């Protein structure tokens, strides 16, 4: 291995592998063009990708734009649709009228003023989401977050995507190999060859011999072939906090080709977990994520069947075992794990792909010049990434701890303080007296979920923060901001097209390139 870091080898060609390849190759494009740097992706022709993971975060817009993808092509080739947030149903009380939105827009004037205390004092009979953001209403009306005249990647209302996971990786592969100079090797990795200090020198493959490199990225999914198996980094299980360990996934056809298309993820709580329901232009993808300690597979099937309706009997159900947790460390020696190889948490807030983007960006930006500085960068990467995983675990658990449901052991056990991380318990005590906000200590790093997300979940689920009288000083501005939000809601409701109509237009005419 040379001392300088010139040759990057990524093993695994799922969403993690190709996003990482694209982000690194785009950042180091001129070095690749001049032949001083290379990115090679080795992918098994025999082991398929996980093929789920269809909800994303708005960061993906920036990522796709940065790596040079056309948004129109992405819509056309990945069966993509807009996502403006998530609608959580039956999470608080379990009744039919129980729902709240976690939208993707910040509350109105979020960087100027925290509206939560004012809403708590006088919300005007509106839900927190409706009082501070138009986006719940846009979702309820089935509207798109932009117009056909809005250029690629720009938004009227902030948005992410729903996409077909089976189409996304091949789409990125074509872009990376044709436009960014990534070398693609279709071969099964059969061995990992290490130097005396533990560094990986090369991987042996069945079809393409040895592939050598200076830095290896493990994107082998649940196999964790490099970081887990070869380098022996243990897995830190967190199923004592997040109980779900199985997913039953199905794809459901629409009744009619032009059926209304939701622009949000539905997340509906059931007896021992919850169902994700994501609408793509050509089908819905959904799945029951549940705890096998709290229900049987047969009972889970029945609940899912009841959710889907009569069509369920004709559908192929795929069972996916999941294990919540992550590697104890993410970068060891000259190997760093991204994606499922780094860990997995239930997809309640679509946190996996955004974490892939953030990790790949950090690797690309901090690309070590040589082996000597790699350990310094690895330490930094590990600190940041460990913090992010911990924060996501807290945020996911928050959804469970705020429930008032006591109808099954699953919901009762979730509220057992012994299952709630200490940091989250402390934050919830703090939030009893002050609500999380933008200028909080809280938004320390590039957070996966900012304070606004916590506000939407806390107040959507009925959490009460005690409100001090002296905050009334800001009341005039707060009333003005909430008034502006109502006006904006009305304006957008009358201007924005239906979600399906816009997607059809994008397929027919395309968006204006940036
Ligand atoms: C039920 C479920 C629902 C999910 N929903 C969401 C969601 O809504 N939003 C979200 O952000 N994320 C979601 N995720 C997570 C998301 O699917 C993954 O983070 C994402 O797909 C990345 O997967 P990956 O690339 O790490 O692994 P994979 O897709 O499994 O890819 C692994 C790659 O490694 C290769 N490989 C393995 N072994 C070898 C070998 N020996 N030699 C060569 N190559 C090898 C395979 O061929 C494959 O190319 C969900 C996950 C599950 C399980």
């Amino acid at each position: 291995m040379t001392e300088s870091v010139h040759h990057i080898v990524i093993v695994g060609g799922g969403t993690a592998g190709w996003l990482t390849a694209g982000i690194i190759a785009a950042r180091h494009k001129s070095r690749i063009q001049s032949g001083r740097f290379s990115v090679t992706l080795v992918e098994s022709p025999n082991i398929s990708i996980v093929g789920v993971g269809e909800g994303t975060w708005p960061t993906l817009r920036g990522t796709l734009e940065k790596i040079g993808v056309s948004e129109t092509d992405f819509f056309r080739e990945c069966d993509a649709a807009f996502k403006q947030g998530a609608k959580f149903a039956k999470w608080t009380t379990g009744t039919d009228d129980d729902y709240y939105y976690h939208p993707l827009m910040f509350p109105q004037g979020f960087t100027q003023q925290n509206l939560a205390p004012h809403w708590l004092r006088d919300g005007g009979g509106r839900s927190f989401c409706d009082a501070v953001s138009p986006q719940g209403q846009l979702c309820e009306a089935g509207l798109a977050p932009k117009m056909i005249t809005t250029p690629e990647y720009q938004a009227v209302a902030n948005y992410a995507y729903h996409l077909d996971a089976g189409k996304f990786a091949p789409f990125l592969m074509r872009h990376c190999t044709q436009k960014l100079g990534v070398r693609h090797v279709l071969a099964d990795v059969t061995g990992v060859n290490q130097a005396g200090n533990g560094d990986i020198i090369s991987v042996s493959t069945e079809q393409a011999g040895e592939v050598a490199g200076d830095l290896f990225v493990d994107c082998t999914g649940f196999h964790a072939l490099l970081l887990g198996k070869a380098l022996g980094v243990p897995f830190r299980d967190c199923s004592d906090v997040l109980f779900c360990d199985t997913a039953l996934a199905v794809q459901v056809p629409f009744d009619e080709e032009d059926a209304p298309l939701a622009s949000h993820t539905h997340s509906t709580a059931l007896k021992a977990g919850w169902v994700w329901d994501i609408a793509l232009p050509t089908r819905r993808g959904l799945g029951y994520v549940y705890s096998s300690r709290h229900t049987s597979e047969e009972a889970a099937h029945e609940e899912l069947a009841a959710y889907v309706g009569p069509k369920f009997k004709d559908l192929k159900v795929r069972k996916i075992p999941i294990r919540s947790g992550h590697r104890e460390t993410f970068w060891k020696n000259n190997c760093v794990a991204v994606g499922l190889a780094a860990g997995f948490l239930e997809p309640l807030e679509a946190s996996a792909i955004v974490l892939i983007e953030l990790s790949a960006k950090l690797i690309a930006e901090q690309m070590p010049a040589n082996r000597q500085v790699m350990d310094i960068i690895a330490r930094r990467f590990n600190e940041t990434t460990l913090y992010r995983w911990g924060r996501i675990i807290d945020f996911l658990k928050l959804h469970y701890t705020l429930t008032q449901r006591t109808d099954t052991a699953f919901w009762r056990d979730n509220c057992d303080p012994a299952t709630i991380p200490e940091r989250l318990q402390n934050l919830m005590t703090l939030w009893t007296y002050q609500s999380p906000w933008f200028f909080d200590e809280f938004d320390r790093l590039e957070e996966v979920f900012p304070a606004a997300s916590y506000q939407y979940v806390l107040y959507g689920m009925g959490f009460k923060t005690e409100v001090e009288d002296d905050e009334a000083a800001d009341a005039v501005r707060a009333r003005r901001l909430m008034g502006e939000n109502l006006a904006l809601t009305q304006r957008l409701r009358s201007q924005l097209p239906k979600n399906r109509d816009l997607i059809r237009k994008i397929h027919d005419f395309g968006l204006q390139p940036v």
Side-chain angles (χ1 to χ4, degrees):
M1 194 181 82
T2 56
E3 280 299 294
S4 302
V5 175
H6 287 144
H7 302 295
I8 315 304
V9 176
I10 298 165
V11 183
T15 299
W18 285 112
L19 268 176
T20 304
I23 291 167
I24 295 178
R27 174 68 180 78
H28 297 275
K29 200 171 172 183
S30 56
R31 291 170 76 197
I32 292 176
Q33 281 165 347
S34 65
R36 287 176 289 127
F37 191 85
S38 70
V39 178
T40 303
L41 187 143
V42 185
E43 173 189 12
S44 164
N46 299 307
I47 303 169
S48 54
I49 63 171
V50 70
V52 280
E54 309 203 316
T56 67
W57 201 238
T59 45
L60 191 58
R61 273 164 45 214
T63 297
L64 294 181
E65 185 176 9
K66 218 167 193 161
I67 68 177
V69 161
S70 141
E71 194 179 29
T72 300
D73 291 349
F74 167 69
F75 269 99
R76 288 174 179 163
E77 293 179 42
C78 298
D79 203 14
F82 294 106
K83 169 184 167 181
Q84 299 192 66
K87 180 177 183 176
F88 290 90
K90 302 191 180 186
W91 277 80
T92 310
T93 59
T95 54
D96 285 343
D97 60 351
D98 163 22
Y99 77 87
Y100 72 95
Y101 272 96
H102 172 191
L104 299 180
M105 283 172 86
F106 276 175
Q108 186 79 5
F110 194 55
T111 55
Q112 303 160 43
Q113 185 165 348
N114 185 2
L115 290 180
H118 299 276
W119 174 80
L120 285 159
R121 200 178 292 114
D122 177 14
R126 291 187 178 83
S127 68
F128 177 68
C129 175
D130 284 350
V132 303
S133 155
Q135 209 150 25
Q137 290 290 314
L138 303 183
C139 292
E140 283 293 290
L143 299 178
K146 64 195 284 181
M147 288 168 280
I148 191 68
T149 48
T150 318
E152 289 198 335
Y153 298 117
Q154 290 182 28
V156 173
N158 196 18
Y159 67 89
Y161 308 105
H162 292 142
L163 53 85
D164 184 327
K167 293 180 176 166
F168 189 43
F171 172 76
L172 289 171
M173 183 264 281
R174 290 191 291 279
H175 181 76
C176 288
T177 51
Q178 291 166 13
K179 303 271 172 61
L180 297 174
V182 175
R183 208 176 129 236
H184 187 196
V185 178
L186 263 180
D188 289 289
V189 171
T190 49
V192 178
N193 309 307
Q194 290 170 263
N197 67 352
D199 278 5
I200 299 175
I201 305 165
S202 64
V203 289
S204 304
T205 72
E206 202 173 308
Q207 299 87 340
E210 280 197 22
V211 181
D214 305 319
L215 174 65
F216 287 79
V217 190
D218 186 349
C219 293
T220 57
F222 289 129
H223 301 270
L225 204 62
L226 276 59
L227 194 80
K229 295 213 174 89
L231 294 178
V233 174
F235 186 82
R236 190 184 287 177
D237 186 286
C238 72
S239 55
D240 53 334
V241 178
L242 298 170
F243 306 154
C244 293
D245 60 4
T246 313
L248 297 178
V250 286
Q251 295 186 354
V252 185
F254 287 110
D255 290 332
E256 291 150 22
E257 221 176 85
D258 57 353
L261 191 61
S263 66
H264 56 277
T265 303
H266 284 268
S267 162
T268 304
L270 300 184
K271 286 186 183 151
W274 57 279
V275 168
W276 84 77
D277 186 345
I278 285 177
L280 302 184
T282 57
R283 61 154 169 90
R284 280 157 66 206
L286 53 87
Y288 185 11
V289 181
Y290 67 90
S291 159
S292 67
R293 280 174 285 168
H294 293 89
T295 193
S296 65
E297 192 177 331
E298 199 186 358
H301 255 93
E302 275 172 28
E303 276 196 278
L304 185 59
Y307 179 93
V308 174
K311 278 187 200 146
F312 185 77
K313 61 177 182 353
D314 305 321
L315 304 177
K316 191 166 153 259
V317 182
R318 184 173 160 214
K319 181 179 170 186
I320 308 169
I322 54 184
R323 189 177 168 206
S324 283
H326 54 82
R327 295 283 145 197
E328 278 184 4
T329 193
F330 306 94
W331 190 326
K332 187 177 178 199
N333 291 83
N334 63 339
C335 175
V336 53
V338 177
L340 295 173
F344 174 80
L345 297 172
E346 60 183 80
L348 184 57
E349 286 281 5
S351 51
I353 295 174
V354 52
L355 207 48
I356 292 169
E357 295 171 68
L358 290 171
S359 299
K361 198 172 120 193
L362 205 53
I363 298 167
E365 293 296 334
Q366 299 278 316
M367 183 58 67
N370 54 49
R371 183 61 186 88
Q372 285 89 323
V373 298
M374 194 182 287
D375 291 342
I376 302 169
I377 289 165
R379 207 171 305 124
R380 201 188 271 180
F381 181 93
N382 284 329
E383 278 168 15
T384 305
T385 309
L386 193 63
Y387 170 82
R388 285 180 174 150
W389 279 90
R391 287 305 288 255
I392 297 171
I393 292 168
D394 285 355
F395 185 56
L396 299 186
K397 184 67 176 180
L398 180 69
H399 296 63
Y400 290 103
T401 58
L402 294 171
T403 192
Q404 294 160 26
R405 287 183 67 152
T406 52
D407 53 314
T408 62
F410 175 78
W411 295 101
R412 291 192 297 274
D413 290 352
N414 257 303
C415 292
D416 178 351
T419 72
I420 305 173
E422 196 185 335
R423 180 172 51 185
L424 178 59
Q425 293 199 29
N426 286 336
L427 284 169
M428 288 178 72
T429 305
L430 179 68
W431 292 332
T432 309
Y433 302 99
Q434 67 181 60
S435 72
W437 187 40
F438 188 73
F439 286 114
D440 214 322
E441 194 8 31
F442 189 69
D443 274 345
R444 277 193 283 148
L445 291 161
E446 199 174 10
E447 290 283 351
V448 177
F449 297 105
S453 292
Y454 285 79
Q455 288 197 346
Y456 286 122
V457 175
L458 283 168
Y459 304 121
M461 291 190 76
F463 186 83
K464 294 279 179 269
T465 301
E466 284 187 19
V467 182
E468 291 289 338
D469 277 351
D470 62 3
E471 282 172 324
D474 295 329
V476 173
R477 186 165 58 173
R479 266 198 297 278
R480 178 175 57 75
L481 287 170
M482 288 195 196
E484 283 172 13
N485 174 59
L486 293 184
L488 181 66
T489 305
Q490 269 184 358
R491 187 162 57 77
L492 294 182
R493 281 197 63 150
S494 64
Q495 278 178 354
L496 289 168
K498 290 279 184 195
N499 192 34
R500 186 177 286 284
D501 292 347
L502 178 58
I503 290 169
R504 195 180 297 117
K505 273 193 181 162
I506 294 172
H507 281 250
D508 291 347
F509 308 111
L511 290 159
Q512 294 173 49
V514 272

